[in-house]
Amino acid sequence: MGFKKNMLRFEEQLSDVDSEPDAKPPILLRFPFLHLPSEIRLRIYHYVLFTPTRKSASKPTGSVGSSAKKGKPLAPSSHRIALFRVSRQIHDEATHYFYSTQIFRVFPVQDFLRMPTIRALPRRHRPSITTIELIVGSSWTAPPKSWIVNQGLGLHDMELVRTLKVFVQCDPSQPAFEGFRKSKDYYTDFCGKLLHQILERLPGLVQVEFDAWPSVEKNGSLMTRLLTETRDAQKKVLWGPDRGWTDTQNDIHEKNDFNDVDAAFDGLRAYSSDIVEALSNSLQTVRLES
């Protein structure tokens, strides 16, 4: 009975509202958003750009390097586009904030990361980028022909880039790759020249951060060459969190904690499917270290 009485009372209130004369629509005042301090505006941009509405949006799509693991979950594209279209000033501030907080790859690798590489970015947004990442190890017998450093790569437009992250998936100079690689030094020379050309085109670069998969040796041929190129270019060397290297660590895998099987496994993960089966079969013949 109490429920029915409440419903009747609610309906009476509605009828009273309907019988009142039409109220004047409220006057909407414009909020002075652009008068807010820039720090607060950036916080609002961050909320709009990086607040996903679905749980699946927060799942990373890539699996290699900082560009995949450290990427921020994105808000729906409709939210981002709506923000960019509010006004010219908000567009410029929001897009600069968006591109300056992302890590963009120099070249693509096969881990299905949806973020575009630097070559695919509109030229007008390249000056906002502050961090890029070079991932080496993919297709170590035949690097893609598109992996070249030229004017079209757009490095000369990236005046704010201060950090280059280098992630090494595998080192083909290790014995496990014998019989599959072109030569012991082929991929080492390829990566060394690639890094040298990138460093030449980034005059504002301050530091290079190195990281790798478990089998890569800090004192191996590939890492030694990459470190030499970096130090010759007078850039500061940093160490990424995954591998755990330090300035004083000699590496050599802590007295052979890793062996040729680990190296071959990393080679499998870093390569396309056309050589996976052959290299996988070779694991059966690799001598395990005692």
Side-chain angles (χ1 to χ4, degrees):
M1 293 296 294
F3 176 76
K4 289 184 177 180
K5 288 182 179 180
N6 290 334
M7 287 297 297
L8 289 173
R9 190 176 304 156
F10 180 69
E11 290 176 359
E12 289 175 358
Q13 293 174 352
L14 287 179
S15 62
D16 292 339
V17 172
D18 292 338
S19 62
E20 294 178 357
D22 294 340
K24 293 182 179 180
I27 299 176
L28 299 178
L29 300 177
R30 295 181 62 182
F31 181 78
F33 177 79
L34 294 177
H35 292 170
L36 293 173
S38 59
E39 295 84 357
I40 297 179
R41 295 203 303 273
L42 292 179
R43 283 179 173 268
I44 296 173
Y45 296 150
H46 182 92
Y47 178 80
V48 177
L49 294 170
F50 303 111
T51 304
T53 58
R54 295 176 292 106
K55 291 184 178 180
S56 59
S58 63
K59 296 179 180 178
T61 54
S63 59
V64 182
S66 297
S67 51
K69 298 178 183 178
K70 308 302 180 185
K72 298 179 178 65
L74 298 178
S77 58
S78 59
H79 292 194
R80 287 176 276 142
I81 293 174
L83 174 64
F84 296 152
R85 296 180 65 181
V86 172
S87 71
R88 180 176 294 276
Q89 181 176 343
I90 291 179
H91 171 274
D92 293 343
E93 291 180 351
T95 54
H96 176 77
Y97 179 78
F98 177 80
Y99 285 93
S100 66
T101 56
Q102 302 299 299
I103 301 174
F104 293 96
R105 292 177 178 176
V106 180
F107 300 112
V109 297
Q110 296 178 346
D111 69 336
F112 306 104
L113 184 70
R114 289 181 294 183
M115 191 68 69
T117 60
I118 59 175
R119 192 186 295 273
L121 293 174
R123 184 174 182 178
R124 65 182 180 276
H125 295 314
R126 292 173 183 168
S128 299
I129 298 172
T130 59
T131 305
I132 60 177
E133 182 172 44
L134 173 66
I135 300 175
V136 297
S138 179
S139 302
W140 38 268
T141 61
K145 295 181 179 180
S146 60
W147 283 40
I148 55 175
V149 179
N150 54 21
Q151 195 80 356
L153 195 58
L155 293 175
H156 58 284
D157 295 322
M158 301 180 187
E159 300 174 353
L160 291 184
V161 171
R162 298 293 180 264
T163 302
L164 169 64
K165 294 176 179 286
V166 179
F167 192 94
V168 183
Q169 294 177 287
C170 65
D171 182 358
S173 67
Q174 293 176 271
F177 296 86
E178 184 69 36
F180 299 97
R181 62 196 179 199
K182 287 189 175 181
S183 68
K184 182 179 180 180
D185 298 326
Y186 168 76
Y187 197 72
T188 297
D189 290 339
F190 171 81
C191 293
K193 293 176 182 178
L194 202 66
L195 180 59
H196 178 84
Q197 293 171 347
I198 292 173
L199 294 176
E200 279 187 329
R201 293 173 181 258
L202 293 172
L205 190 73
V206 175
Q207 55 200 17
V208 180
E209 179 186 286
F210 289 95
D211 215 334
W213 276 344
S215 70
V216 178
E217 297 180 357
K218 181 182 174 184
N219 293 338
S221 297
L222 180 53
M223 275 300 304
T224 298
R225 174 65 182 274
L226 297 177
L227 289 170
T228 298
E229 295 291 348
T230 302
R231 287 165 177 151
D232 287 348
Q234 298 182 345
K235 307 302 179 183
K236 183 178 180 180
V237 173
L238 302 179
W239 308 108
D242 291 349
R243 194 64 181 83
W245 284 323
T246 64
D247 289 334
T248 57
Q249 181 184 1
N250 290 325
D251 195 49
I252 315 181
H253 284 315
E254 301 295 333
K255 300 299 181 180
N256 295 325
D257 284 345
F258 292 91
N259 51 43
D260 287 346
V261 174
D262 299 295
F265 179 71
D266 283 348
L268 285 173
R269 293 196 292 165
Y271 212 90
S272 54
S273 58
D274 56 351
I275 200 171
V276 166
E277 183 177 356
L279 191 54
S280 179
N281 293 336
S282 73
L283 293 177
Q284 301 175 11
T285 63
V286 174
R287 180 176 62 86
L288 296 177
E289 298 287 345
S290 58

